[in-house]
Amino acid sequence: MSKRGLSPVIATVLLIAIALILAVIIFLWARSFLEEQNQKFGEPVSNACKDIDFEVEAFHGSTEDYVNVVNRGNVPLYGLEIRLRDEGVIASVGTFQGTSNVIRNGESGQVKIFANERIPAGKQLRIIPIILGEKNTERTPYACDTEFARDAPIQDV
Amino acid sequence: MQKQGLSTIIATVLIIFLTVIVAGMIAQVIIPFAKNSLYKSTECVKYENYFRFDESLGWNCYDTDAKQINISLSVRNEKALTDNVLGFKIAFLSESFSKVIDVNEGASAANLRNFNKNAGSKITIPKTGDTFTYTYNYADDSVTHYTNAEVYTVLKSGRLCEKPSAHISLIDCRERLLP
């Protein structure tokens, strides 16, 4: 009686093929757990917040309130998130980003505060930088954490 | 005697059939179960340090005369996280006594209120990047004053994150440094 089985070559090829298919299945399945991260300079965008260096002064003008910003760091600022400090509360006044609010490295600029109400002089503002990250090839604004914010009193012009 | 078994074709078909059934079971039952378990075990990871005690307002102190504690809580500046937060639990601790209070948006909490609001008023919790101060009246508690406070995040799924989001040592309000 002749005994026949798979040749060693075919058996090896089959094993490799099965292992590869399994690896691809597991990889695709595991990838669904990972969210696409907002990145900047090839790192999570939150890391870039550490490299931000900026100075701010806030003013209560005759017709509008505004913030003067000097960007001394290596990260361009895409805008600012402005919070007002009141008795026991620090709450958002608004987010001002894009076009005229972009302040590149080494530049200075002015961000106008378009809020429902004018902010009286003497109040304290907390100014949070917004930078631009990249997510799925799309550019996405990212507001840094409050630990990277600057506090500034709003002054009469 | 004639020995008979399954033909190789039927055996192969049976093996393939069994493999497909097992793969289907894994896909339908085991994978969603593993996914769900993984999600539940990691859902609090993102919320570590979500709530923080904000010291920039100069509160986080106890007043032994008024039997009150004022604490300022801020929230991490990440919009994506805020949507899943229901509220927080705050624990006030002394050497011999502790008190835990549930704080949810729009509900009232026993003896705790937003700063400068009336007792029993609906509570608002800070949203992305905001800081709110709360006043807790501890006249009913059998303690001269509390020494520490811890805050825990409660998610909309009903999950209480067991690890404290933040911890602070309370000071006497008479010693606080005004901002």
Side-chain angles (χ1 to χ4, degrees):
Chain A
M1 198 175 95
S2 69
K3 286 186 184 173
R4 287 169 58 176
L6 290 172
S7 82
V9 175
I10 291 171
T12 310
V13 168
L14 270 175
L15 278 174
I16 291 169
I18 290 167
L20 281 176
I21 289 166
L22 278 174
V24 168
I25 290 170
I26 290 168
F27 172 74
L28 292 175
W29 176 62
R31 206 173 60 162
S32 67
F33 286 112
L34 302 173
E35 288 171 30
E36 281 291 338
Q37 259 190 338
N38 195 358
Q39 293 195 327
K40 191 167 188 79
F41 308 137
E43 288 181 22
V45 69
S46 55
N47 288 1
C49 292
K50 290 172 194 151
D51 300 328
I52 293 173
D53 183 8
F54 71 114
E55 286 172 14
V56 285
E57 277 186 309
F59 295 100
H60 176 83
S62 54
T63 54
E64 60 195 2
D65 303 323
Y66 56 90
V67 178
N68 285 346
V69 185
V70 183
N71 185 357
R72 298 197 183 283
N74 297 320
V75 185
L77 300 180
Y78 186 66
L80 300 175
E81 207 176 274
I82 296 178
R83 294 175 186 278
L84 175 64
R85 190 153 108 181
D86 218 333
E87 218 179 338
V89 173
I90 302 173
S92 178
V93 170
T95 300
F96 311 96
Q97 63 186 27
T99 53
S100 60
N101 298 311
V102 175
I103 300 153
R104 293 181 181 83
N105 318 359
E107 288 183 355
S108 59
Q110 193 174 80
V111 175
K112 290 186 173 67
I113 304 172
F114 297 107
N116 294 334
E117 288 174 25
R118 295 291 305 279
I119 304 166
K123 292 278 184 188
Q124 194 83 14
L125 294 183
R126 177 165 287 182
I127 294 145
I128 299 163
I130 298 173
I131 55 177
L132 214 49
E134 219 169 79
K135 194 174 184 180
N136 291 334
T137 68
E138 261 178 45
R139 289 176 171 243
T140 315
Y142 176 84
C144 292
D145 199 14
T146 46
E147 64 183 295
F148 304 105
R150 299 280 187 277
D151 287 349
I154 188 152
Q155 309 164 45
D156 256 327
V157 178
Chain B
M1 200 176 94
Q2 198 180 9
K3 285 186 185 173
Q4 279 191 7
L6 291 171
S7 80
T8 46
I9 293 170
I10 291 170
T12 311
V13 168
L14 270 175
I15 286 169
I16 291 170
F17 188 61
L18 281 172
T19 312
V20 169
I21 288 172
V22 169
M25 276 173 65
I26 289 171
Q28 292 298 311
V29 181
I30 296 171
I31 291 176
F33 174 75
K35 222 172 178 174
N36 193 32
S37 303
L38 274 174
Y39 175 73
K40 279 184 179 168
S41 62
T42 56
E43 70 178 324
C44 277
V45 172
K46 287 184 281 186
Y47 291 89
E48 280 183 9
N49 309 320
Y50 177 74
F51 286 106
R52 290 179 291 208
F53 290 101
D54 189 331
E55 300 196 59
S56 66
L57 293 171
W59 292 109
N60 304 320
C61 64
Y62 58 82
D63 180 339
T64 47
D65 298 330
K67 291 260 179 187
Q68 281 186 349
I69 294 173
N70 289 308
I71 47 136
S72 298
L73 273 185
S74 68
V75 158
R76 217 159 75 199
N77 201 20
E78 280 192 45
K79 284 189 178 71
L81 299 181
T82 304
D83 294 342
N84 293 326
V85 174
L86 180 69
F88 58 88
K89 270 182 196 272
I90 186 147
F92 295 110
L93 315 163
S94 74
E95 281 179 15
S96 57
F97 193 82
S98 65
K99 181 90 177 181
V100 179
I101 297 156
D102 290 302
V103 185
N104 294 328
E105 176 74 35
S108 56
N111 298 327
L112 189 127
R113 58 188 161 86
N114 284 90
F115 190 75
N116 279 352
K117 292 278 163 67
N118 297 325
S121 58
K122 286 184 177 173
I123 288 193
T124 50
I125 63 168
K127 300 275 182 281
T128 319
D130 290 345
T131 300
F132 286 3
T133 303
Y134 297 91
T135 301
Y136 173 62
N137 187 311
Y138 63 90
D140 297 338
D141 302 347
S142 51
V143 64
T144 51
H145 68 83
Y146 289 97
T147 52
N148 294 282
E150 283 179 352
V151 63
Y152 299 81
T153 310
V154 179
L155 303 180
K156 280 191 177 150
S157 64
R159 172 82 180 270
L160 165 69
C161 296
E162 299 89 350
K163 196 175 168 191
S165 183
H167 175 106
I168 197 161
S169 297
L170 300 169
I171 57 160
D172 191 325
C173 286
R174 288 169 294 193
E175 294 168 10
R176 81 189 183 101
L177 298 168
L178 289 169

